[in-house]
């Protein structure tokens, strides 16, 4: 099912009066002013690529939209407010209150509220960092002595293992398993050589 | 009384520019805009205890709109083909971004003038929605509630306003060229 009818451009983009179809024009305007949905905007962009007249129209509306959005706010003159206060009798009822002035100064101006909040946050963060005590690990002398003793015992065990291994290699493995068979083989070869020499002599 | 005063001052600070700006655009006359703004502020004072401060914006803008419509009806404005440029209004509108570049500032001022003249030529029902949405930044729902018209009508009127504005700008350019 197609999402929007007017993207089906096989019927053309113009109506019977030769003007751009209403739905297409509405989408162009919405896209130019920035309140079209994602698919609507994409559809307009595709049409702009395909049809130069759509592109021109889109650019014109976009230019107008940008100018409209750049229009700033009118600033209400203070004298109007003063006159209104006098006419309504507000001036008589206003009590000079430091806290009321402070409330108005801080909360009626968003920038001031934001600034005050930011400053408070920074001050709180800095004070947390300054006042943070480093964590010190304290061990008693007895605990240190015990740890040393245990370390020495562990090293001793490892040393014993290495010595036993060394002795085992030297006395048993090398002697019995390696050198003895080699010597036996060499003796055997010598015997063979000497027997061969005797046979030659006889012959 | 201090509480009422505080609430009143807070509401005025938050909404004064919106009230004044809307009145200026709708009435195209600074003196009338001053009168409407003062009247709205007096009514805020008289009713400040009666409404919820969170819903106040809607009430305030509705009051401003209704007063503007009353003024327009009283004046029975005849729509002119050429609108005189109100220099007081353009002076009041101040954009500090282009202060350093006189050429750019002049260009921006001219463009703003064109746009404002074109906005003034819109029919009242389209103009109010256009101003509330594009300039005041209100949402469809808020405008619908404020003007007491259906949501779809707001969207339709806004589209019409944009089309009409584009036509007016084209006519203005054509006129300038001639």
């Amino acid at each position: 099912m197609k999402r929007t009818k007017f993207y089906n451009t096989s019927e053309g983009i113009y109506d019977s009066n030769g003007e751009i179809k209403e739905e297409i024009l509405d989408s162009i305007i919405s896209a130019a002013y920035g309140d079209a949905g994602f698919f609507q905007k994409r559809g307009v962009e595709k049409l702009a690529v395909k049809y130069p007249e759509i592109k021109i129209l889109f650019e014109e509306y976009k230019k107008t939209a940008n100018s409209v959005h750049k229009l700033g706010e009118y600033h209400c003159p203070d004298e109007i407010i003063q006159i209104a206060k006098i006419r309504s009798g507000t001036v008589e009822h206003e009590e000079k209150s430091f806290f009321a002035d402070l409330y108005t100064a801080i909360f009626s101006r968003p920038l001031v509220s934001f600034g005050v909040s930011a400053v408070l946050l920074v001050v709180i963060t800095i004070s947390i960092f300054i006042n943070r005590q480093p964590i010190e690990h304290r061990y008693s002398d007895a605990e240190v002595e015990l740890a040393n003793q245990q370390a020495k015992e562990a090293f001793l065990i490892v040393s014993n293992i290495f010595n036993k291994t060394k002795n085992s290699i030297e006395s048993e493995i090398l002697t019995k398993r390696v050198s003895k068979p080699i010597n036996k083989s060499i003796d055997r070869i010598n015997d063979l050589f000497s027997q061969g020499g005797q046979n030659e002599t006889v012959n | 009384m201090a509480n009422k005063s505080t609430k009143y001052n807070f509401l005025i600070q938050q909404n004064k520019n919106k009230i004044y700006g809307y009145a200026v655009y709708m009435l195209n006359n600074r003196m009338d805009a001053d009168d409407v703004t003062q009247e709205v502020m007096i009514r805020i004072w008289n009713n400040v205890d009666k409404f919820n401060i969170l819903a106040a914006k809607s009430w305030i803008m509705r009051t401003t709109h209704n007063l503007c419509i009353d003024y327009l009806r009283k004046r029975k404005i005849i729509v002119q083909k050429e609108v005189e440029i109100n220099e007081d209004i353009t002076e009041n509108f101040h954009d500090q971004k282009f202060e350093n570049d006189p050429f750019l500032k002049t260009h921006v001022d001219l463009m703003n003038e064109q746009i404002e003249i074109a906005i003034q030529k819109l029919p009242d029902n389209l103009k109010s929605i256009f101003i509330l949405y594009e300039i005041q930044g209100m949402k469809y729902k808020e405008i619908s509630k404020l003007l007491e018209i259906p949501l779809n009508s707001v969207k339709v009127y806004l589209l019409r306003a944009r089309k009409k504005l584009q036509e007016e700008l084209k006519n203005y350019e054509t006129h300038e060229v001639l």
Side-chain angles (χ1 to χ4, degrees):
Chain A
M1 191 180 86
K2 285 180 184 165
R3 197 174 287 273
T4 47
K5 267 188 196 174
F6 71 87
Y7 292 120
N8 181 10
T9 53
S10 60
E11 295 168 0
I13 59 170
Y14 295 101
D15 59 19
S16 53
N17 297 329
E19 290 175 1
I20 290 177
K21 287 178 181 170
E22 192 79 25
E23 304 89 29
I24 296 177
L25 182 59
D26 290 351
S27 290
I28 291 169
I29 295 171
S30 295
Y33 274 83
D35 49 19
F38 174 77
F39 292 104
Q40 198 176 24
K41 194 179 172 190
R42 283 294 298 145
V44 168
E45 284 168 358
K46 279 184 190 172
L47 286 174
V49 166
K50 200 174 172 184
Y51 299 97
E53 56 270 46
I54 298 265
K55 188 180 177 186
I56 291 168
L57 202 58
F58 180 60
E59 292 299 325
E60 282 175 3
Y61 271 102
K62 214 171 162 188
K63 188 181 163 191
T64 307
N66 287 340
S67 299
V68 168
H69 293 151
K70 279 181 184 160
L71 289 175
E73 204 177 39
Y74 278 94
H75 296 290
C76 179
D78 289 333
E79 49 265 24
I80 292 178
I81 302 170
Q82 291 306 316
I83 295 168
K85 283 185 176 177
I86 292 166
R87 283 175 61 188
S88 62
T90 315
V91 176
E92 294 170 6
H93 296 295
E94 266 184 349
E95 293 173 16
K96 295 289 176 187
S97 162
F98 171 74
F99 293 107
D101 289 343
L102 190 66
Y103 175 83
T104 311
I106 291 174
F107 291 103
S108 66
R109 288 176 168 78
L111 274 175
V112 174
S113 303
F114 176 75
V116 168
S117 307
V119 166
L120 274 173
L121 199 64
V122 167
V123 165
I124 290 167
T125 310
I126 289 171
S127 67
I128 287 170
F129 274 110
I130 288 170
N131 294 324
R132 194 176 61 175
Q133 297 287 341
I135 298 167
E136 291 178 8
H137 297 280
R138 291 228 173 254
Y139 296 104
S140 64
D141 291 342
E143 284 173 334
V144 170
E145 190 60 38
L146 180 65
N148 281 340
Q149 189 66 29
Q150 285 174 342
K152 278 182 188 170
E153 283 172 12
F155 283 132
L156 203 60
I157 291 168
V158 169
S159 171
N160 284 342
I161 290 170
F162 278 138
N163 285 337
K164 277 186 187 172
T165 307
K166 181 189 165 194
N167 293 337
S168 175
I169 288 172
E170 280 177 358
S171 61
E172 291 185 17
I173 295 171
L174 282 177
T175 309
K176 289 182 187 173
R177 307 282 181 190
V178 176
S179 59
K180 198 173 175 184
I182 289 175
N183 289 337
K184 206 172 175 181
S185 310
I186 292 171
D187 289 339
R188 185 80 177 158
I189 292 167
N190 282 337
D191 289 340
L192 283 170
F193 273 128
S194 56
Q195 276 181 10
Q198 283 177 4
N199 287 340
E200 279 181 12
T201 309
V202 169
N203 292 336
Chain B
M1 196 59 71
N3 194 22
K4 185 178 176 181
S5 239
T6 308
K7 211 170 161 183
Y8 173 75
N9 286 330
F10 175 75
L11 287 172
I12 294 299
Q13 286 302 320
Q14 291 283 47
N15 295 286
K16 61 180 182 177
N17 293 336
K18 289 195 187 315
I19 298 166
Y20 184 70
Y22 186 75
V24 166
Y25 274 111
M26 286 299 287
L27 302 173
N28 193 28
N29 181 294
R30 190 178 165 180
M31 279 170 53
D32 286 348
D34 289 356
D35 288 343
V36 165
T37 306
Q38 286 174 29
E39 188 61 37
V40 171
M41 289 180 180
I42 291 166
R43 291 191 187 192
I44 292 172
W45 172 255
N46 293 337
N47 292 282
V48 72
D49 290 329
K50 293 176 191 169
F51 51 70
N52 182 0
I53 205 161
L54 295 172
K57 182 185 170 187
S58 185
W59 183 92
I60 289 167
M61 291 312 297
R62 194 181 314 125
T63 306
T64 310
H65 170 77
N66 291 338
L67 280 169
C68 288
I69 297 297
D70 289 343
Y71 261 74
L72 287 171
R73 282 178 191 155
K74 281 177 194 170
R75 273 182 0 196
K76 291 181 184 172
I77 292 172
I78 298 164
V79 177
Q80 295 174 357
K81 285 190 180 174
E82 289 180 7
V83 176
E84 288 173 9
I85 298 164
N86 188 334
E87 288 181 1
D88 286 341
I89 290 175
T90 52
E91 275 175 17
N92 217 11
F93 169 66
H94 186 58
D95 192 336
Q96 293 182 359
K97 271 192 286 188
F98 307 109
E99 283 266 317
N100 297 328
D101 189 335
F103 175 75
L104 199 57
K105 188 175 181 306
T106 308
H107 175 68
V108 168
D109 284 347
L110 279 171
M111 275 173 60
N112 289 338
E113 227 169 68
Q114 280 179 27
I115 298 282
E116 289 189 12
I117 290 169
I119 291 172
Q120 292 306 325
K121 288 187 178 177
L122 293 173
D124 292 337
N125 59 340
L126 301 184
K127 187 162 57 172
S128 59
I129 290 172
F130 186 84
I131 294 165
L132 288 170
Y133 186 83
E134 298 291 356
I135 298 169
Q136 303 272 338
M138 292 182 81
K139 294 175 185 150
Y140 291 130
K141 227 175 175 179
E142 289 176 317
I143 298 171
S144 168
K145 198 177 162 189
L146 193 152
L147 299 177
E148 293 171 346
I149 56 174
L151 191 69
N152 282 336
S153 300
V154 173
K155 294 178 183 177
V156 167
Y157 285 157
L158 184 64
L159 267 171
R160 282 189 202 163
R162 288 167 173 173
K163 285 177 190 171
K164 198 91 176 94
L165 185 75
Q166 200 69 18
E167 283 170 25
E168 291 294 344
L169 285 170
K170 268 193 178 163
N171 292 342
Y172 183 84
E173 280 170 15
T174 310
H175 180 77
E176 285 293 297
V177 166
L178 290 173

